PDB file of all heavy atoms in Angstrom:
ATOM      1  N   ARG A  81     -71.075 -39.455-128.088  1.00 97.00           N
ATOM      2  CA  ARG A  81     -72.439 -39.095-127.570  1.00 97.00           C
ATOM      3  C   ARG A  81     -72.654 -37.551-127.664  1.00 97.00           C
ATOM      4  O   ARG A  81     -71.807 -36.868-127.279  1.00 97.00           O
ATOM      5  CB  ARG A  81     -72.611 -39.639-126.222  1.00 97.00           C
ATOM      6  CG  ARG A  81     -74.017 -39.580-125.652  1.00 97.00           C
ATOM      7  CD  ARG A  81     -74.256 -40.319-124.397  1.00 97.00           C
ATOM      8  NE  ARG A  81     -74.009 -41.746-124.600  1.00 97.00           N
ATOM      9  CZ  ARG A  81     -74.885 -42.565-125.101  1.00 97.00           C
ATOM     10  NH1 ARG A  81     -76.108 -42.142-125.464  1.00 97.00           N
ATOM     11  NH2 ARG A  81     -74.636 -43.819-125.224  1.00 97.00           N
ATOM     12  N   ASN A  82     -73.830 -37.165-128.077  1.00 98.00           N
ATOM     13  CA  ASN A  82     -74.214 -35.812-128.124  1.00 98.00           C
ATOM     14  C   ASN A  82     -75.088 -35.479-126.875  1.00 98.00           C
ATOM     15  O   ASN A  82     -76.102 -36.006-126.645  1.00 98.00           O
ATOM     16  CB  ASN A  82     -75.006 -35.454-129.353  1.00 98.00           C
ATOM     17  CG  ASN A  82     -75.252 -34.034-129.623  1.00 98.00           C
ATOM     18  OD1 ASN A  82     -74.658 -33.154-128.948  1.00 98.00           O
ATOM     19  ND2 ASN A  82     -76.066 -33.682-130.561  1.00 98.00           N
ATOM     20  N   LEU A  83     -74.583 -34.490-126.095  1.00 98.00           N
ATOM     21  CA  LEU A  83     -75.251 -34.016-124.879  1.00 98.00           C
ATOM     22  C   LEU A  83     -75.628 -32.556-125.085  1.00 98.00           C
ATOM     23  O   LEU A  83     -74.857 -31.788-125.672  1.00 98.00           O
ATOM     24  CB  LEU A  83     -74.361 -34.211-123.662  1.00 98.00           C
ATOM     25  CG  LEU A  83     -73.959 -35.608-123.317  1.00 98.00           C
ATOM     26  CD1 LEU A  83     -72.976 -35.651-122.135  1.00 98.00           C
ATOM     27  CD2 LEU A  83     -75.054 -36.574-123.032  1.00 98.00           C
ATOM     28  N   SER A  84     -76.759 -32.143-124.439  1.00 98.00           N
ATOM     29  CA  SER A  84     -77.086 -30.805-124.453  1.00 98.00           C
ATOM     30  C   SER A  84     -76.169 -30.076-123.390  1.00 98.00           C
ATOM     31  O   SER A  84     -75.459 -30.726-122.678  1.00 98.00           O
ATOM     32  CB  SER A  84     -78.589 -30.561-123.999  1.00 98.00           C
ATOM     33  OG  SER A  84     -78.753 -30.975-122.617  1.00 98.00           O
ATOM     34  N   LYS A  85     -76.221 -28.754-123.330  1.00 97.00           N
ATOM     35  CA  LYS A  85     -75.384 -27.983-122.404  1.00 97.00           C
ATOM     36  C   LYS A  85     -75.635 -28.406-120.952  1.00 97.00           C
ATOM     37  O   LYS A  85     -74.631 -28.336-120.153  1.00 97.00           O
ATOM     38  CB  LYS A  85     -75.573 -26.518-122.620  1.00 97.00           C
ATOM     39  CG  LYS A  85     -75.080 -25.973-123.980  1.00 97.00           C
ATOM     40  CD  LYS A  85     -75.210 -24.508-124.084  1.00 97.00           C
ATOM     41  CE  LYS A  85     -74.719 -23.978-125.418  1.00 97.00           C
ATOM     42  NZ  LYS A  85     -74.912 -22.474-125.604  1.00 97.00           N
ATOM     43  N   ASP A  86     -76.849 -28.766-120.645  1.00 97.00           N
ATOM     44  CA  ASP A  86     -77.153 -29.206-119.256  1.00 97.00           C
ATOM     45  C   ASP A  86     -77.130 -30.685-119.060  1.00 97.00           C
ATOM     46  O   ASP A  86     -77.546 -31.174-117.992  1.00 97.00           O
ATOM     47  CB  ASP A  86     -78.461 -28.596-118.799  1.00 97.00           C
ATOM     48  CG  ASP A  86     -79.643 -29.089-119.653  1.00 97.00           C
ATOM     49  OD1 ASP A  86     -79.437 -29.848-120.620  1.00 97.00           O
ATOM     50  OD2 ASP A  86     -80.833 -28.729-119.311  1.00 97.00           O
ATOM     51  N   GLY A  87     -76.596 -31.408-120.032  1.00 98.00           N
ATOM     52  CA  GLY A  87     -76.389 -32.834-119.880  1.00 98.00           C
ATOM     53  C   GLY A  87     -77.406 -33.784-120.308  1.00 98.00           C
ATOM     54  O   GLY A  87     -77.352 -35.037-120.122  1.00 98.00           O
ATOM     55  N   TYR A  88     -78.481 -33.302-121.006  1.00 98.00           N
ATOM     56  CA  TYR A  88     -79.493 -34.199-121.493  1.00 98.00           C
ATOM     57  C   TYR A  88     -78.930 -35.029-122.635  1.00 98.00           C
ATOM     58  O   TYR A  88     -78.305 -34.447-123.643  1.00 98.00           O
ATOM     59  CB  TYR A  88     -80.678 -33.390-122.014  1.00 98.00           C
ATOM     60  CG  TYR A  88     -81.783 -34.144-122.719  1.00 98.00           C
ATOM     61  CD1 TYR A  88     -82.544 -35.111-122.039  1.00 98.00           C
ATOM     62  CD2 TYR A  88     -82.061 -33.916-124.034  1.00 98.00           C
ATOM     63  CE1 TYR A  88     -83.480 -35.862-122.667  1.00 98.00           C
ATOM     64  CE2 TYR A  88     -83.119 -34.616-124.668  1.00 98.00           C
ATOM     65  CZ  TYR A  88     -83.836 -35.528-123.983  1.00 98.00           C
ATOM     66  OH  TYR A  88     -84.802 -36.292-124.619  1.00 98.00           O
ATOM     67  N   ASN A  89     -79.112 -36.272-122.584  1.00 98.00           N
ATOM     68  CA  ASN A  89     -78.612 -37.189-123.584  1.00 98.00           C
ATOM     69  C   ASN A  89     -79.438 -37.221-124.919  1.00 98.00           C
ATOM     70  O   ASN A  89     -80.577 -37.559-124.915  1.00 98.00           O
ATOM     71  CB  ASN A  89     -78.595 -38.611-123.074  1.00 98.00           C
ATOM     72  CG  ASN A  89     -78.123 -39.651-124.115  1.00 98.00           C
ATOM     73  OD1 ASN A  89     -77.279 -39.355-124.950  1.00 98.00           O
ATOM     74  ND2 ASN A  89     -78.749 -40.818-124.095  1.00 98.00           N
ATOM     75  N   LEU A  90     -78.814 -36.672-125.986  1.00 98.00           N
ATOM     76  CA  LEU A  90     -79.509 -36.584-127.242  1.00 98.00           C
ATOM     77  C   LEU A  90     -79.208 -37.827-128.078  1.00 98.00           C
ATOM     78  O   LEU A  90     -79.836 -37.994-129.115  1.00 98.00           O
ATOM     79  CB  LEU A  90     -79.017 -35.305-127.987  1.00 98.00           C
ATOM     80  CG  LEU A  90     -79.469 -33.968-127.270  1.00 98.00           C
ATOM     81  CD1 LEU A  90     -78.620 -32.801-127.938  1.00 98.00           C
ATOM     82  CD2 LEU A  90     -80.890 -33.788-127.420  1.00 98.00           C
ATOM     83  N   GLY A  91     -78.223 -38.605-127.741  1.00 98.00           N
ATOM     84  CA  GLY A  91     -77.941 -39.861-128.511  1.00 98.00           C
ATOM     85  C   GLY A  91     -76.581 -39.825-129.094  1.00 98.00           C
ATOM     86  O   GLY A  91     -75.724 -38.890-128.935  1.00 98.00           O
ATOM     87  N   LEU A  92     -76.241 -40.937-129.830  1.00 97.00           N
ATOM     88  CA  LEU A  92     -75.012 -41.077-130.513  1.00 97.00           C
ATOM     89  C   LEU A  92     -74.956 -40.415-131.848  1.00 97.00           C
ATOM     90  O   LEU A  92     -75.797 -40.686-132.714  1.00 97.00           O
ATOM     91  CB  LEU A  92     -74.743 -42.588-130.690  1.00 97.00           C
ATOM     92  CG  LEU A  92     -74.609 -43.368-129.363  1.00 97.00           C
ATOM     93  CD1 LEU A  92     -74.551 -44.869-129.713  1.00 97.00           C
ATOM     94  CD2 LEU A  92     -73.433 -42.976-128.537  1.00 97.00           C
ATOM     95  N   ARG A  93     -74.000 -39.493-132.036  1.00 97.00           N
ATOM     96  CA  ARG A  93     -73.780 -38.852-133.317  1.00 97.00           C
ATOM     97  C   ARG A  93     -73.406 -39.866-134.397  1.00 97.00           C
ATOM     98  O   ARG A  93     -72.575 -40.666-134.131  1.00 97.00           O
ATOM     99  CB  ARG A  93     -72.761 -37.774-133.279  1.00 97.00           C
ATOM    100  CG  ARG A  93     -72.949 -36.626-132.294  1.00 97.00           C
ATOM    101  CD  ARG A  93     -71.806 -35.648-132.410  1.00 97.00           C
ATOM    102  NE  ARG A  93     -71.930 -34.586-131.559  1.00 97.00           N
ATOM    103  CZ  ARG A  93     -71.242 -34.516-130.403  1.00 97.00           C
ATOM    104  NH1 ARG A  93     -70.468 -35.513-129.996  1.00 97.00           N
ATOM    105  NH2 ARG A  93     -71.348 -33.533-129.581  1.00 97.00           N
ATOM    106  N   TYR A  94     -73.979 -39.793-135.579  1.00 97.00           N
ATOM    107  CA  TYR A  94     -75.039 -39.104-136.184  1.00 97.00           C
ATOM    108  C   TYR A  94     -76.097 -40.109-136.504  1.00 97.00           C
ATOM    109  O   TYR A  94     -76.493 -40.270-137.643  1.00 97.00           O
ATOM    110  CB  TYR A  94     -74.618 -38.233-137.293  1.00 97.00           C
ATOM    111  CG  TYR A  94     -73.670 -37.140-136.940  1.00 97.00           C
ATOM    112  CD1 TYR A  94     -72.331 -37.278-137.161  1.00 97.00           C
ATOM    113  CD2 TYR A  94     -74.200 -35.977-136.291  1.00 97.00           C
ATOM    114  CE1 TYR A  94     -71.461 -36.330-136.774  1.00 97.00           C
ATOM    115  CE2 TYR A  94     -73.320 -34.997-135.964  1.00 97.00           C
ATOM    116  CZ  TYR A  94     -71.943 -35.129-136.200  1.00 97.00           C
ATOM    117  OH  TYR A  94     -71.054 -34.157-135.747  1.00 97.00           O
ATOM    118  N   GLN A  95     -76.503 -40.840-135.453  1.00 97.00           N
ATOM    119  CA  GLN A  95     -77.482 -41.973-135.689  1.00 97.00           C
ATOM    120  C   GLN A  95     -78.865 -41.402-135.823  1.00 97.00           C
ATOM    121  O   GLN A  95     -79.107 -40.213-135.524  1.00 97.00           O
ATOM    122  CB  GLN A  95     -77.371 -42.983-134.481  1.00 97.00           C
ATOM    123  CG  GLN A  95     -76.129 -43.729-134.362  1.00 97.00           C
ATOM    124  CD  GLN A  95     -75.973 -44.800-135.407  1.00 97.00           C
ATOM    125  OE1 GLN A  95     -77.006 -45.564-135.628  1.00 97.00           O
ATOM    126  NE2 GLN A  95     -74.871 -44.963-135.993  1.00 97.00           N
ATOM    127  N   CYS A  96     -79.851 -42.220-136.229  1.00 98.00           N
ATOM    128  CA  CYS A  96     -81.222 -41.872-136.444  1.00 98.00           C
ATOM    129  C   CYS A  96     -81.815 -41.311-135.162  1.00 98.00           C
ATOM    130  O   CYS A  96     -82.553 -40.358-135.194  1.00 98.00           O
ATOM    131  CB  CYS A  96     -82.025 -42.971-137.130  1.00 98.00           C
ATOM    132  SG  CYS A  96     -82.134 -44.454-136.177  1.00 98.00           S
ATOM    133  N   VAL A  97     -81.550 -41.961-134.057  1.00 98.00           N
ATOM    134  CA  VAL A  97     -82.168 -41.623-132.777  1.00 98.00           C
ATOM    135  C   VAL A  97     -81.676 -40.232-132.326  1.00 98.00           C
ATOM    136  O   VAL A  97     -82.458 -39.435-131.833  1.00 98.00           O
ATOM    137  CB  VAL A  97     -81.754 -42.634-131.738  1.00 98.00           C
ATOM    138  CG1 VAL A  97     -82.030 -42.147-130.267  1.00 98.00           C
ATOM    139  CG2 VAL A  97     -82.544 -43.991-131.896  1.00 98.00           C
ATOM    140  N   GLU A  98     -80.427 -39.906-132.651  1.00 98.00           N
ATOM    141  CA  GLU A  98     -79.870 -38.603-132.267  1.00 98.00           C
ATOM    142  C   GLU A  98     -80.630 -37.491-132.946  1.00 98.00           C
ATOM    143  O   GLU A  98     -80.942 -36.486-132.309  1.00 98.00           O
ATOM    144  CB  GLU A  98     -78.390 -38.617-132.581  1.00 98.00           C
ATOM    145  CG  GLU A  98     -77.695 -37.326-132.032  1.00 98.00           C
ATOM    146  CD  GLU A  98     -77.604 -36.149-132.993  1.00 98.00           C
ATOM    147  OE1 GLU A  98     -77.963 -36.389-134.217  1.00 98.00           O
ATOM    148  OE2 GLU A  98     -77.271 -35.091-132.568  1.00 98.00           O
ATOM    149  N   PHE A  99     -80.994 -37.663-134.193  1.00 98.00           N
ATOM    150  CA  PHE A  99     -81.740 -36.629-134.886  1.00 98.00           C
ATOM    151  C   PHE A  99     -83.078 -36.438-134.335  1.00 98.00           C
ATOM    152  O   PHE A  99     -83.517 -35.295-134.021  1.00 98.00           O
ATOM    153  CB  PHE A  99     -81.886 -36.976-136.408  1.00 98.00           C
ATOM    154  CG  PHE A  99     -82.861 -36.134-137.104  1.00 98.00           C
ATOM    155  CD1 PHE A  99     -82.713 -34.766-137.192  1.00 98.00           C
ATOM    156  CD2 PHE A  99     -83.956 -36.676-137.704  1.00 98.00           C
ATOM    157  CE1 PHE A  99     -83.621 -33.943-137.811  1.00 98.00           C
ATOM    158  CE2 PHE A  99     -84.933 -35.865-138.345  1.00 98.00           C
ATOM    159  CZ  PHE A  99     -84.715 -34.533-138.369  1.00 98.00           C
ATOM    160  N   VAL A 100     -83.898 -37.508-134.102  1.00 98.00           N
ATOM    161  CA  VAL A 100     -85.258 -37.276-133.658  1.00 98.00           C
ATOM    162  C   VAL A 100     -85.318 -36.705-132.241  1.00 98.00           C
ATOM    163  O   VAL A 100     -86.119 -35.828-131.890  1.00 98.00           O
ATOM    164  CB  VAL A 100     -86.088 -38.599-133.711  1.00 98.00           C
ATOM    165  CG1 VAL A 100     -86.195 -39.130-135.124  1.00 98.00           C
ATOM    166  CG2 VAL A 100     -85.591 -39.686-132.820  1.00 98.00           C
ATOM    167  N   LYS A 101     -84.351 -37.151-131.383  1.00 98.00           N
ATOM    168  CA  LYS A 101     -84.401 -36.546-129.984  1.00 98.00           C
ATOM    169  C   LYS A 101     -83.932 -35.172-130.019  1.00 98.00           C
ATOM    170  O   LYS A 101     -84.457 -34.303-129.359  1.00 98.00           O
ATOM    171  CB  LYS A 101     -83.438 -37.415-129.087  1.00 98.00           C
ATOM    172  CG  LYS A 101     -84.044 -38.742-128.815  1.00 98.00           C
ATOM    173  CD  LYS A 101     -83.105 -39.558-127.867  1.00 98.00           C
ATOM    174  CE  LYS A 101     -83.074 -38.900-126.485  1.00 98.00           C
ATOM    175  NZ  LYS A 101     -82.200 -39.630-125.613  1.00 98.00           N
ATOM    176  N   ARG A 102     -82.912 -34.814-130.888  1.00 98.00           N
ATOM    177  CA  ARG A 102     -82.387 -33.439-131.001  1.00 98.00           C
ATOM    178  C   ARG A 102     -83.501 -32.592-131.610  1.00 98.00           C
ATOM    179  O   ARG A 102     -83.700 -31.387-131.263  1.00 98.00           O
ATOM    180  CB  ARG A 102     -81.198 -33.406-131.802  1.00 98.00           C
ATOM    181  CG  ARG A 102     -80.600 -32.062-132.079  1.00 98.00           C
ATOM    182  CD  ARG A 102     -79.101 -32.134-132.563  1.00 98.00           C
ATOM    183  NE  ARG A 102     -78.900 -33.158-133.552  1.00 98.00           N
ATOM    184  CZ  ARG A 102     -79.157 -32.942-134.876  1.00 98.00           C
ATOM    185  NH1 ARG A 102     -79.684 -31.796-135.306  1.00 98.00           N
ATOM    186  NH2 ARG A 102     -78.949 -33.873-135.742  1.00 98.00           N
ATOM    187  N   TYR A 103     -84.311 -33.110-132.576  1.00 98.00           N
ATOM    188  CA  TYR A 103     -85.373 -32.416-133.194  1.00 98.00           C
ATOM    189  C   TYR A 103     -86.387 -31.957-132.151  1.00 98.00           C
ATOM    190  O   TYR A 103     -86.761 -30.739-132.081  1.00 98.00           O
ATOM    191  CB  TYR A 103     -86.121 -33.215-134.270  1.00 98.00           C
ATOM    192  CG  TYR A 103     -87.182 -32.508-134.946  1.00 98.00           C
ATOM    193  CD1 TYR A 103     -86.923 -31.707-136.093  1.00 98.00           C
ATOM    194  CD2 TYR A 103     -88.503 -32.577-134.504  1.00 98.00           C
ATOM    195  CE1 TYR A 103     -87.940 -31.018-136.689  1.00 98.00           C
ATOM    196  CE2 TYR A 103     -89.528 -31.889-135.096  1.00 98.00           C
ATOM    197  CZ  TYR A 103     -89.251 -31.124-136.213  1.00 98.00           C
ATOM    198  OH  TYR A 103     -90.283 -30.464-136.838  1.00 98.00           O
ATOM    199  N   TYR A 104     -86.899 -32.860-131.371  1.00 98.00           N
ATOM    200  CA  TYR A 104     -87.977 -32.489-130.336  1.00 98.00           C
ATOM    201  C   TYR A 104     -87.365 -31.583-129.284  1.00 98.00           C
ATOM    202  O   TYR A 104     -88.097 -30.734-128.737  1.00 98.00           O
ATOM    203  CB  TYR A 104     -88.570 -33.795-129.765  1.00 98.00           C
ATOM    204  CG  TYR A 104     -89.394 -34.522-130.707  1.00 98.00           C
ATOM    205  CD1 TYR A 104     -89.069 -35.728-131.191  1.00 98.00           C
ATOM    206  CD2 TYR A 104     -90.518 -33.934-131.309  1.00 98.00           C
ATOM    207  CE1 TYR A 104     -89.913 -36.458-132.063  1.00 98.00           C
ATOM    208  CE2 TYR A 104     -91.300 -34.596-132.211  1.00 98.00           C
ATOM    209  CZ  TYR A 104     -90.983 -35.876-132.569  1.00 98.00           C
ATOM    210  OH  TYR A 104     -91.730 -36.587-133.493  1.00 98.00           O
ATOM    211  N   PHE A 105     -86.050 -31.834-128.976  1.00 98.00           N
ATOM    212  CA  PHE A 105     -85.449 -31.004-127.861  1.00 98.00           C
ATOM    213  C   PHE A 105     -85.254 -29.468-128.396  1.00 98.00           C
ATOM    214  O   PHE A 105     -85.617 -28.539-127.664  1.00 98.00           O
ATOM    215  CB  PHE A 105     -84.119 -31.569-127.505  1.00 98.00           C
ATOM    216  CG  PHE A 105     -83.436 -30.791-126.398  1.00 98.00           C
ATOM    217  CD1 PHE A 105     -83.857 -30.864-125.074  1.00 98.00           C
ATOM    218  CD2 PHE A 105     -82.306 -30.048-126.727  1.00 98.00           C
ATOM    219  CE1 PHE A 105     -83.212 -30.120-124.123  1.00 98.00           C
ATOM    220  CE2 PHE A 105     -81.586 -29.335-125.743  1.00 98.00           C
ATOM    221  CZ  PHE A 105     -82.072 -29.376-124.443  1.00 98.00           C
ATOM    222  N   GLU A 106     -84.681 -29.351-129.557  1.00 98.00           N
ATOM    223  CA  GLU A 106     -84.393 -28.018-130.083  1.00 98.00           C
ATOM    224  C   GLU A 106     -85.664 -27.253-130.558  1.00 98.00           C
ATOM    225  O   GLU A 106     -85.788 -26.086-130.292  1.00 98.00           O
ATOM    226  CB  GLU A 106     -83.419 -28.129-131.315  1.00 98.00           C
ATOM    227  CG  GLU A 106     -82.001 -28.555-130.876  1.00 98.00           C
ATOM    228  CD  GLU A 106     -81.062 -28.504-132.121  1.00 98.00           C
ATOM    229  OE1 GLU A 106     -81.500 -28.091-133.257  1.00 98.00           O
ATOM    230  OE2 GLU A 106     -79.904 -28.960-131.914  1.00 98.00           O
ATOM    231  N   ARG A 107     -86.621 -27.944-131.136  1.00 98.00           N
ATOM    232  CA  ARG A 107     -87.827 -27.306-131.625  1.00 98.00           C
ATOM    233  C   ARG A 107     -88.885 -27.119-130.598  1.00 98.00           C
ATOM    234  O   ARG A 107     -89.590 -26.108-130.657  1.00 98.00           O
ATOM    235  CB  ARG A 107     -88.323 -28.024-132.793  1.00 98.00           C
ATOM    236  CG  ARG A 107     -89.536 -27.427-133.499  1.00 98.00           C
ATOM    237  CD  ARG A 107     -89.718 -27.891-134.885  1.00 98.00           C
ATOM    238  NE  ARG A 107     -91.028 -27.564-135.431  1.00 98.00           N
ATOM    239  CZ  ARG A 107     -91.331 -26.336-135.936  1.00 98.00           C
ATOM    240  NH1 ARG A 107     -90.433 -25.382-135.916  1.00 98.00           N
ATOM    241  NH2 ARG A 107     -92.564 -26.134-136.424  1.00 98.00           N
ATOM    242  N   HIS A 108     -89.023 -28.024-129.672  1.00 98.00           N
ATOM    243  CA  HIS A 108     -90.154 -28.097-128.779  1.00 98.00           C
ATOM    244  C   HIS A 108     -89.685 -28.103-127.287  1.00 98.00           C
ATOM    245  O   HIS A 108     -90.548 -28.060-126.345  1.00 98.00           O
ATOM    246  CB  HIS A 108     -91.066 -29.246-129.034  1.00 98.00           C
ATOM    247  CG  HIS A 108     -91.695 -29.160-130.339  1.00 98.00           C
ATOM    248  ND1 HIS A 108     -92.711 -28.331-130.733  1.00 98.00           N
ATOM    249  CD2 HIS A 108     -91.434 -29.959-131.554  1.00 98.00           C
ATOM    250  CE1 HIS A 108     -93.113 -28.528-132.009  1.00 98.00           C
ATOM    251  NE2 HIS A 108     -92.318 -29.490-132.485  1.00 98.00           N
ATOM    252  N   GLY A 109     -88.371 -28.220-127.054  1.00 98.00           N
ATOM    253  CA  GLY A 109     -87.940 -28.268-125.639  1.00 98.00           C
ATOM    254  C   GLY A 109     -88.369 -29.582-125.013  1.00 98.00           C
ATOM    255  O   GLY A 109     -88.412 -29.697-123.758  1.00 98.00           O
ATOM    256  N   HIS A 110     -88.633 -30.601-125.771  1.00 98.00           N
ATOM    257  CA  HIS A 110     -89.131 -31.840-125.252  1.00 98.00           C
ATOM    258  C   HIS A 110     -88.032 -32.725-124.813  1.00 98.00           C
ATOM    259  O   HIS A 110     -87.039 -32.970-125.498  1.00 98.00           O
ATOM    260  CB  HIS A 110     -89.957 -32.612-126.302  1.00 98.00           C
ATOM    261  CG  HIS A 110     -90.498 -33.888-125.839  1.00 98.00           C
ATOM    262  ND1 HIS A 110     -91.583 -33.976-125.047  1.00 98.00           N
ATOM    263  CD2 HIS A 110     -90.153 -35.162-126.100  1.00 98.00           C
ATOM    264  CE1 HIS A 110     -91.884 -35.187-124.781  1.00 98.00           C
ATOM    265  NE2 HIS A 110     -91.039 -36.004-125.446  1.00 98.00           N
ATOM    266  N   ARG A 111     -88.125 -33.258-123.589  1.00 98.00           N
ATOM    267  CA  ARG A 111     -87.108 -34.220-122.994  1.00 98.00           C
ATOM    268  C   ARG A 111     -87.795 -35.575-122.737  1.00 98.00           C
ATOM    269  O   ARG A 111     -88.834 -35.560-122.071  1.00 98.00           O
ATOM    270  CB  ARG A 111     -86.506 -33.685-121.700  1.00 98.00           C
ATOM    271  CG  ARG A 111     -85.765 -32.401-121.847  1.00 98.00           C
ATOM    272  CD  ARG A 111     -85.462 -31.849-120.463  1.00 98.00           C
ATOM    273  NE  ARG A 111     -84.756 -30.545-120.524  1.00 98.00           N
ATOM    274  CZ  ARG A 111     -83.470 -30.351-120.389  1.00 98.00           C
ATOM    275  NH1 ARG A 111     -82.688 -31.432-120.165  1.00 98.00           N
ATOM    276  NH2 ARG A 111     -82.958 -29.122-120.491  1.00 98.00           N
ATOM    277  N   MET A 112     -87.206 -36.582-123.235  1.00 98.00           N
ATOM    278  CA  MET A 112     -87.750 -37.947-122.991  1.00 98.00           C
ATOM    279  C   MET A 112     -87.346 -38.465-121.641  1.00 98.00           C
ATOM    280  O   MET A 112     -86.090 -38.397-121.322  1.00 98.00           O
ATOM    281  CB  MET A 112     -87.370 -38.875-124.149  1.00 98.00           C
ATOM    282  CG  MET A 112     -87.873 -38.438-125.530  1.00 98.00           C
ATOM    283  SD  MET A 112     -87.428 -39.709-126.803  1.00 98.00           S
ATOM    284  CE  MET A 112     -88.209 -38.892-128.206  1.00 98.00           C
ATOM    285  N   PRO A 113     -88.251 -38.990-120.841  1.00 98.00           N
ATOM    286  CA  PRO A 113     -87.838 -39.492-119.513  1.00 98.00           C
ATOM    287  C   PRO A 113     -86.816 -40.628-119.669  1.00 98.00           C
ATOM    288  O   PRO A 113     -85.880 -40.614-118.784  1.00 98.00           O
ATOM    289  CB  PRO A 113     -89.183 -39.983-118.989  1.00 98.00           C
ATOM    290  CG  PRO A 113     -90.271 -39.162-119.600  1.00 98.00           C
ATOM    291  CD  PRO A 113     -89.720 -38.925-120.951  1.00 98.00           C
ATOM    292  N   ASP A 114     -86.953 -41.505-120.591  1.00 98.00           N
ATOM    293  CA  ASP A 114     -85.909 -42.498-120.824  1.00 98.00           C
ATOM    294  C   ASP A 114     -85.021 -41.955-121.938  1.00 98.00           C
ATOM    295  O   ASP A 114     -85.442 -41.841-123.085  1.00 98.00           O
ATOM    296  CB  ASP A 114     -86.553 -43.783-121.298  1.00 98.00           C
ATOM    297  CG  ASP A 114     -85.575 -44.962-121.377  1.00 98.00           C
ATOM    298  OD1 ASP A 114     -84.301 -44.628-121.453  1.00 98.00           O
ATOM    299  OD2 ASP A 114     -86.001 -46.070-121.516  1.00 98.00           O
TER     300      ASP A 114
END
Side-chain angles (χ1 to χ4, degrees):
R81 190 169 295 280
N82 188 12
L83 301 175
S84 69
K85 290 181 179 179
D86 62 357
Y88 174 64
N89 174 38
L90 295 166
L92 298 172
R93 300 185 182 93
Y94 295 101
Q95 293 286 316
C96 60
V97 166
E98 190 268 348
F99 167 61
V100 299
K101 290 181 68 183
R102 179 164 46 82
Y103 180 87
Y104 290 116
F105 180 74
E106 290 184 3
R107 181 160 166 79
H108 297 285
H110 180 74
R111 297 170 184 258
M112 296 184 179
D114 185 347

